[in-house]
């Protein structure tokens, strides 16, 4: 069969017919435990009955009407996103990268209002912000950028976790208007910055009149045990980007802003044809309601703690394991050697997992996994690490 797909992915040799909770089923009926949730998207698991019901009901009523008219479900969702992010106003796009684009456009508006001709944004080494031109230019990975020059200009780079490096940038660059950072770096291999780092960034931004932007596209929505990972440190940003789990698989993202940043946009300056349509907005409202009523933040925290304890007990001191990192259900097991082949090995054992940065086994299971399923994931990962390469 001729492959008409552009050659952008290297998929595993498996496809799924359906799912139920944390389980996925292939064509032959074999079941797999999902330890990656379509990259942190299906937080409520697959075929969630209430999510399916709402999608069916709304699609039978009204899927799309365009942002030329008011969309009550979008307004309602904006209120819910503003509440969980503690921001004031929200813009809806369809992907994480689009939320980043919105945040970056706000930094340019704010910069120009301050008479800065070339407003700059401080971004981090090893960061990931998406694949559109501005988002990949902000990303700290040559693999993501190579071949796509000329990149969008206006980014200054600092090592992740190093607040002093940013103070130094502040002394030499008066064109900077913002700092963009993932509170926990996801694609980089679940990298957690030193305690106090995010509050340090808040102070630096306050001292210099910069906006602080947290990219919580992967780490947000209860994944780490709080609505947003930065809330572990009680730091208030100016902008939060959120996406992946927001509608449990329907495409939606949000750029939420507070204070002056929330007032930067005016009609005609930004937009998205599909963004925040009634179907995705209502679905996201349902997802947020379920996350709240079922305390999925608390559940992710406790299940994640159990998994981390189990990994530490079983793998600490193992010469093949370099480090085990995690918060809530955002967990990385870094090996000393290439781990890419373990995705296929895991599949053979009935677990779907991901490897990032070649050496880090990345786990982002649905937040609804039970203890037994969590233990099963730990068992399989430990067996893979321990088995002969
Ligand atoms: C996934 C991700 C993005 C990009 O999201 P897309 O929906 O793929 O555009 C941006 N930032 C972070 C931190 C992500 O994990």
């Amino acid at each position: 069969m001729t492959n008409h797909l552009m050659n952008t992915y290297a998929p595993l040799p498996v496809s799924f017919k359906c799912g139920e909770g944390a389980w996925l089923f292939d064509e032959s009926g074999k079941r797999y435990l999902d330890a990656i949730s379509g990259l942190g998207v299906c937080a409520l698991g697959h075929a969630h009955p209430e999510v399916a019901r709402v999608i069916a009901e709304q699609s039978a009523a009204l899927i799309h009407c365009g942002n030329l008219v008011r969309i009550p479900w979008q307004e309602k969702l904006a209120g819910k996103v503003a509440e969980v992010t503690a921001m004031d106003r929200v813009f809806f796009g369809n992907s994480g990268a689009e939320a980043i684009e919105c945040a970056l456009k706000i930094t340019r508006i704010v910069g120009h209002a301050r008479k800065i001709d070339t407003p700059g944004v401080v971004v981090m080494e090893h960061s990931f912000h998406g694949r559109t031109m501005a988002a990949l230019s902000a990303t700290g990975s040559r693999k993501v950028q190579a071949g796509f020059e000329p990149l969008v200009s206006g980014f200054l780079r600092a090592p992740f976790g190093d607040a002093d490096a940013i103070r130094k940038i502040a002394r030499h660059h008066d064109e900077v208007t913002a700092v963009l950072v993932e509170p926990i770096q996801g694609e980089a291999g679940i990298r957690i910055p030193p305690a106090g780092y995010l509050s340090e960034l808040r102070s630096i931004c306050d001292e210099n009149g910069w906006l602080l932007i947290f990219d919580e596209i992967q780490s947000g929505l209860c994944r780490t045990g709080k609505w947003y990972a930065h809330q572990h440190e009680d730091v208030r940003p100016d902008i939060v980007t959120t996406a992946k789990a927001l509608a449990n698989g329907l495409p939606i993202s949000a750029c939420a802003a507070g204070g002056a940043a929330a007032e930067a946009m005016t009609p005609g300056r930004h937009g998205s044809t599909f963004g925040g349509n009634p179907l995705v907005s209502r679905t996201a409202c349902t997802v947020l309601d379920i996350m709240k009523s079922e305390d999925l933040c608390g559940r992710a925290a406790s299940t994640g703690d159990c998994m981390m304890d189990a990994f530490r007990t079983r793998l600490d001191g193992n010469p093949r394991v370099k480090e085990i990192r995690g918060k809530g259900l955002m967990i990385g097991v870094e090996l000393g050697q290439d781990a890419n082949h373990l995705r296929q090995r895991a599949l053979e054992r009935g677990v779907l997992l991901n490897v990032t940065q070649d050496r880090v086994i990345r786990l982002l299971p649905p937040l609804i996994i039970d203890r037994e399923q969590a233990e099963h994931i730990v068992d399989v990962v430990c067996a893979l690490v321990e088995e002969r390469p």
Side-chain angles (χ1 to χ4, degrees):
M1 194 167 69
T2 319
N3 191 348
H4 291 291
L5 289 173
M6 279 200 194
N7 197 14
T8 51
Y9 305 108
L12 290 166
V14 67
S15 64
F16 301 113
K17 205 169 140 194
C18 58
E20 192 187 336
W23 294 105
L24 286 163
F25 299 86
D26 72 9
E27 302 292 329
S28 74
K30 180 181 170 186
R31 69 175 194 172
Y32 302 79
L33 192 51
D34 188 355
I36 189 66
S37 317
L39 270 157
V41 170
C42 301
L44 306 185
H46 305 284
H48 191 286
E50 181 59 11
V51 174
R53 189 191 66 77
V54 160
I55 291 173
E57 194 176 297
Q58 187 59 40
S59 67
L62 183 68
I63 293 176
H64 180 89
C65 53
N67 286 295
L68 304 168
V69 297
R70 286 182 65 175
I71 302 175
W73 282 112
Q74 187 186 121
E75 292 174 15
K76 195 165 175 175
L77 177 62
K80 289 178 188 289
V81 172
E83 188 193 329
V84 293
T85 56
M87 295 285 105
D88 298 317
R89 288 177 181 264
V90 183
F91 175 83
F92 293 106
N94 311 285
S95 64
E98 282 172 84
I100 293 292
E101 295 284 334
C102 178
L104 293 173
K105 284 177 79 171
I106 290 173
T107 70
R108 297 268 168 112
I109 292 173
V110 167
H112 290 303
R114 292 194 194 138
K115 308 276 182 268
I116 300 170
D117 290 334
T118 54
V121 177
V122 178
V123 291
M124 305 306 151
E125 288 172 6
H126 308 295
S127 62
F128 183 79
H129 300 296
R131 304 283 193 160
T132 58
M133 283 307 301
L136 77 83
S137 302
T139 290
S141 156
R142 273 313 291 159
K143 217 162 111 182
V144 170
Q145 296 177 339
F148 298 111
E149 299 80 2
L151 301 181
V152 174
S153 59
F155 296 105
L156 299 94
R157 207 164 295 282
F160 181 63
D162 181 352
D164 285 340
I166 298 178
R167 288 193 187 282
K168 199 165 158 195
I169 289 174
R171 284 197 292 275
H172 297 99
H173 295 271
D174 46 18
E175 79 279 20
V176 173
T177 55
V179 172
L180 167 61
V181 63
E182 296 157 84
I184 296 177
Q185 288 189 329
E187 301 301 306
I190 319 297
R191 298 205 170 269
I192 302 169
Y197 175 62
L198 301 178
S199 334
E200 263 301 277
L201 294 186
R202 180 71 270 175
S203 308
I204 298 170
C205 287
D206 288 343
E207 285 156 26
N208 294 281
W210 299 347
L211 302 174
L212 179 57
I213 307 168
F214 288 146
D215 180 352
E216 293 259 20
I217 289 167
Q218 191 164 145
S219 54
L221 295 166
C222 299
R223 175 57 55 190
T224 70
K226 295 269 187 193
W227 279 106
Y228 289 91
H230 69 266
Q231 293 164 354
H232 289 284
E233 251 194 60
D234 205 20
V235 184
R236 202 186 142 89
D238 300 284
I239 298 176
V240 180
T241 57
T242 184
K244 290 193 162 89
L246 189 50
N248 209 51
L250 290 194
I252 183 171
S253 67
C255 174
E263 308 304 326
M265 287 294 179
T266 48
R269 300 209 83 177
H270 195 46
S272 165
T273 298
F274 295 120
N277 77 26
L279 180 66
V280 288
S281 293
R282 182 172 173 192
T283 306
C285 283
T286 299
V287 168
L288 291 178
D289 289 349
I290 293 170
M291 284 178 170
K292 192 172 186 174
S293 67
E294 295 185 5
D295 186 27
L296 290 191
C297 291
R299 190 157 165 179
S302 60
T303 313
D305 282 348
C306 287
M307 289 179 75
M308 287 295 289
D309 285 348
F311 276 131
R312 293 220 162 98
T313 307
R314 294 176 57 174
L315 295 178
D316 259 357
N318 185 311
R320 292 195 184 130
V321 177
K322 218 173 137 199
E323 200 176 21
I324 304 158
R325 299 182 289 267
K327 207 157 208 161
L329 286 173
M330 188 170 184
I331 298 175
V333 178
E334 179 167 358
L335 304 187
Q337 65 280 322
D338 194 286
N340 282 308
H341 64 290
L342 297 183
R343 296 177 307 147
Q344 177 62 35
R345 294 265 177 90
L347 207 56
E348 287 155 14
R349 291 171 180 258
V351 169
L352 189 70
L353 52 72
N354 174 254
V355 170
T356 183
Q357 299 294 315
D358 296 327
R359 294 179 172 204
V360 185
I361 300 171
R362 174 169 49 173
L363 305 172
L364 300 168
L367 305 180
I368 48 94
I369 55 165
D370 61 28
R371 286 293 153 90
E372 206 178 313
Q373 291 167 330
E375 280 165 21
H376 184 62
I377 294 170
V378 172
D379 283 345
V380 169
V381 170
C382 291
L384 291 172
V385 170
E386 283 157 0
E387 89 184 359
R388 238 195 269 264

